[in-house]
Amino acid sequence: MIVYGTGYSPYVRKVLVALAEKGVAYEHRPLMFHDPDPAFQAASPLGKIPAIDDGGFLLADSTAILFYLERRQPAPALIPTEAQALGRALWFDKFGDTELFGKLIVPFVERVLKPNRMGKPTDEAAVAKALDKDLPPLFDYLESEIDGAFLVDDAFGIADISIATGFYNFGLAKAEIDAARWPRLAAYVEAILARPSFQTAMAARKG
């Protein structure tokens, strides 16, 4: 299996974590989005990352890929089958991808991408807005939902991958969760990012 997309992307990291958890071998090609590589463009018609080529089967979008992997390699399970657990897992996957990520990535964009990759100055006002206004309500919600090691069914899965993945970029931007204010969230993220699968996926940013 070929995985397209830079390891700096939380969405690509979702796929790399799932592959590591399931023990599926892959080749990582760390392309940026909209890369002109013809094979990547064939796998991702919109030029977004991640995308995969699994023996000629082409697919883009991190959630779609995780569902595909779940059927291709069922064990260990990352997506629950019981109705309520599945609904909750899909909710956290959406929450992580669409609500949390856009706010969580701001310090990374401003402090890492813009000065180092784009030659633009950091907008610390944007960082302050994210840290002081936009993220606290989301952190409050997650703090209220965490009741154990994992978010759903007392088992590691897609919900944990989707929620935790962006916090790595958050840390690269020298931002952190206030453990005094959000102790459960801080401990949860630390534990999830310490998993071997996450450690392997996070190392892929060097590629």
Side-chain angles (χ1 to χ4, degrees):
M1 181 184 299
I2 299 170
V3 179
Y4 297 102
T6 173
Y8 275 105
S9 164
Y11 297 117
V12 173
R13 195 173 303 122
K14 281 176 61 177
V15 173
L16 299 181
V17 167
L19 289 168
E21 290 282 341
K22 290 179 176 294
V24 176
Y26 63 90
E27 174 191 344
H28 182 211
R29 296 187 184 177
L31 306 178
M32 295 297 290
F33 51 85
H34 300 302
D35 189 283
D37 179 81
F40 166 63
Q41 289 292 328
S44 181
L46 300 179
K48 296 182 178 182
I49 54 176
I52 62 167
D53 181 340
D54 189 17
F57 175 70
L58 308 179
L59 188 64
D61 182 79
S62 62
T63 298
I65 293 169
L66 261 63
F67 268 80
Y68 167 70
L69 292 174
E70 190 74 0
R71 295 295 186 270
R72 181 188 185 277
Q73 181 73 30
L78 297 177
I79 301 173
T81 56
E82 188 276 327
Q84 292 185 7
L86 176 60
R88 184 170 166 83
L90 292 181
W91 157 247
F92 280 116
D93 179 60
K94 177 177 175 57
F95 181 84
D97 282 1
T98 63
E99 303 299 330
L100 182 63
F101 172 73
K103 312 279 191 311
L104 201 61
I105 203 67
V106 170
F108 179 77
V109 170
E110 292 296 336
R111 292 177 174 174
V112 180
L113 282 186
K114 286 176 70 172
N116 297 317
R117 295 294 185 94
M118 303 167 67
K120 296 181 179 180
T122 295
D123 182 352
E124 281 295 339
V127 175
K129 179 177 180 294
L131 296 178
D132 299 336
K133 180 180 179 182
D134 296 334
L135 284 169
L138 304 182
F139 287 3
D140 287 343
Y141 169 69
L142 290 171
E143 181 76 9
S144 73
E145 290 293 313
I146 295 168
D147 184 23
F150 309 112
L151 285 167
V152 178
D153 243 6
D154 199 27
F156 178 79
I158 188 173
D160 306 296
I161 297 172
S162 299
I163 292 299
T165 184
F167 280 99
Y168 177 60
N169 299 72
F170 193 65
L172 289 177
K174 308 302 181 186
E176 60 184 24
I177 303 165
D178 183 348
R181 184 173 178 182
W182 299 289
R184 283 180 288 185
L185 177 60
Y188 165 82
V189 169
E190 181 180 8
I192 297 296
L193 294 186
R195 290 178 70 88
S197 58
F198 260 99
Q199 291 294 310
T200 297
M202 292 186 299
R205 73 179 179 84
K206 301 172 183 176

